[in-house]
Amino acid sequence: MKLRGIIALIIVLIFPFCALAEQSENKTQNPILTQISFNNAKINGEFSPSVNEYTLTLDDPSTPPTLKNYEIEGRGHLFINYILDKANHQTGVSATVEYENGSVIYNFKYSNAKVYEKNSNNLLKELGGEYVQVYPELNKNQTHYRVYIPKDMTVLRLTAVTQDIGAYCDIPKEITINTDQEPSILVTVTASDGTDRVYTFNIKRSELTVNEVAERMAKGDFSYADELLFYRRPAFLIGVISAAAGLILVFLLLYFIKRVAVKAEDVEEPEFFEV
């Protein structure tokens, strides 16, 4: 009985420390956003992963900021969204780090946003997302674009940036699709004076997987356009190689026929009229 009591006491004493150690290990395994910066804006104060609320000073108060750079330690994904007030005016940016066990949100509130004045600017400045690229580049003349994604992507998280900070963009925060689907996404941008502009983004799947795109992006600048060039596609390369092989076979066949063909005149046989 004494031995059982001692074992029970040891378990009672050790178990809490084991659980604490496991929790500490899981905590250290969570990815950490170590650095983040924005175009057209400066974070007031030094960024720290342990602080979730910041203010952001805009270089041009009439233009929304966009993500410039970031670094994450560990396996995590960063998603950017714009914070809106009840009138759908931008008041800041939120950066969400998502990982397997949860997420962390950092808010950056504008400190000098322009007083909203009515105008007709309902143009998009940027449409982005993880492993997403738009072609051609957004411009004021077009409203129809292609959005290229990996062939196995099933969840789209898109971020739309308007040219004018007073405009509002109605876009789904998350779109779930099957791997065989290539839908068209309608995005409406409403200017501060109420005029609308509707964009159509046609989803196109590349020949690369999410992991392949991630590997290429990690190595440097990546563009779906480079991967989609016809002369880089496997089918084109196979066609070129097949055509070249066919031409070589034709030339060899003609050469062989020329070598074995019966000559029109046999040099060893005298002509019949020769005396």
Side-chain angles (χ1 to χ4, degrees):
M1 295 294 293
K2 291 184 178 180
L3 180 60
R4 291 182 180 179
I6 294 173
I7 294 174
L9 180 60
I10 292 174
I11 292 174
V12 170
L13 292 175
I14 292 178
F15 181 77
F17 292 99
C18 293
L20 183 61
E22 184 178 356
Q23 291 178 0
S24 177
E25 183 179 357
N26 289 335
K27 186 176 181 180
T28 57
Q29 288 177 348
N30 291 339
I32 298 174
L33 181 65
T34 59
Q35 188 269 335
I36 187 170
S37 60
F38 299 91
N39 296 304
N40 188 48
K42 182 180 180 181
I43 300 174
N44 297 321
E46 186 175 353
F47 177 79
S48 171
S50 60
V51 180
N52 299 88
E53 299 292 332
Y54 296 89
T55 57
L56 203 63
T57 300
L58 304 175
D59 297 335
D60 179 1
S62 65
T63 303
T66 58
L67 181 65
K68 181 178 181 180
N69 192 21
Y70 71 93
E71 292 182 4
I72 295 178
E73 287 186 0
R75 298 180 61 118
H77 303 275
L78 182 71
F79 299 99
I80 299 295
N81 288 296
Y82 289 87
I83 303 171
L84 305 175
D85 60 17
K86 293 182 179 180
N88 288 328
H89 293 150
Q90 289 184 27
T91 60
V93 181
S94 69
T96 303
V97 180
E98 292 190 356
Y99 46 91
E100 185 177 1
N101 300 324
S103 63
V104 179
I105 299 176
Y106 298 91
N107 293 319
F108 303 87
K109 298 293 184 65
Y110 302 153
S111 63
N112 63 332
K114 182 180 178 180
V115 177
Y116 298 107
E117 299 176 354
K118 289 187 177 182
N119 62 63
S120 60
N121 189 343
N122 52 16
L123 297 174
L124 271 183
K125 179 181 180 181
E126 184 178 301
L127 181 78
E130 192 173 39
Y131 312 131
V132 169
Q133 290 182 355
V134 178
Y135 293 96
E137 292 186 2
L138 292 177
N139 59 79
K140 64 180 181 180
N141 299 318
Q142 292 180 257
T143 56
H144 288 73
Y145 298 87
R146 300 183 302 277
V147 177
Y148 288 99
I149 64 174
K151 67 179 182 180
D152 57 344
M153 178 175 278
T154 57
V155 178
L156 295 178
R157 300 279 295 271
L158 300 175
T159 301
V161 185
T162 58
Q163 283 192 2
D164 181 63
I165 200 169
Y168 167 68
C169 182
D170 182 16
I171 184 172
K173 291 185 177 181
E174 184 173 298
I175 303 170
T176 301
I177 56 178
N178 297 325
T179 54
D180 60 346
Q181 290 181 312
E182 292 184 334
S184 295
I185 300 173
L186 299 181
V187 175
T188 301
V189 180
T190 303
S192 55
D193 67 355
T195 57
D196 292 335
R197 185 181 182 92
V198 180
Y199 290 84
T200 301
F201 295 96
N202 299 311
I203 301 299
K204 300 293 181 183
R205 293 188 180 274
S206 74
E207 298 176 352
L208 302 175
T209 65
V210 169
N211 290 336
E212 289 171 337
V213 172
E215 289 176 2
R216 283 165 169 76
M217 286 184 170
K219 293 178 181 178
D221 292 337
F222 168 79
S223 172
Y224 284 108
D226 293 339
E227 299 294 332
L228 292 168
L229 290 175
F230 71 93
Y231 56 80
R232 293 190 179 183
R233 290 190 173 191
F236 177 80
L237 295 176
I238 293 173
V240 170
I241 294 172
S242 300
L247 289 174
I248 292 173
L249 289 175
V250 170
F251 284 125
L252 289 176
L253 182 60
L254 291 175
Y255 179 75
F256 178 75
I257 293 174
K258 183 177 180 181
R259 294 283 293 177
V260 302
V262 179
K263 295 184 179 180
E265 178 184 343
D266 191 343
V267 295
E268 295 181 357
E269 183 179 349
E271 298 182 7
F272 72 94
F273 55 80
E274 183 177 357
V275 179

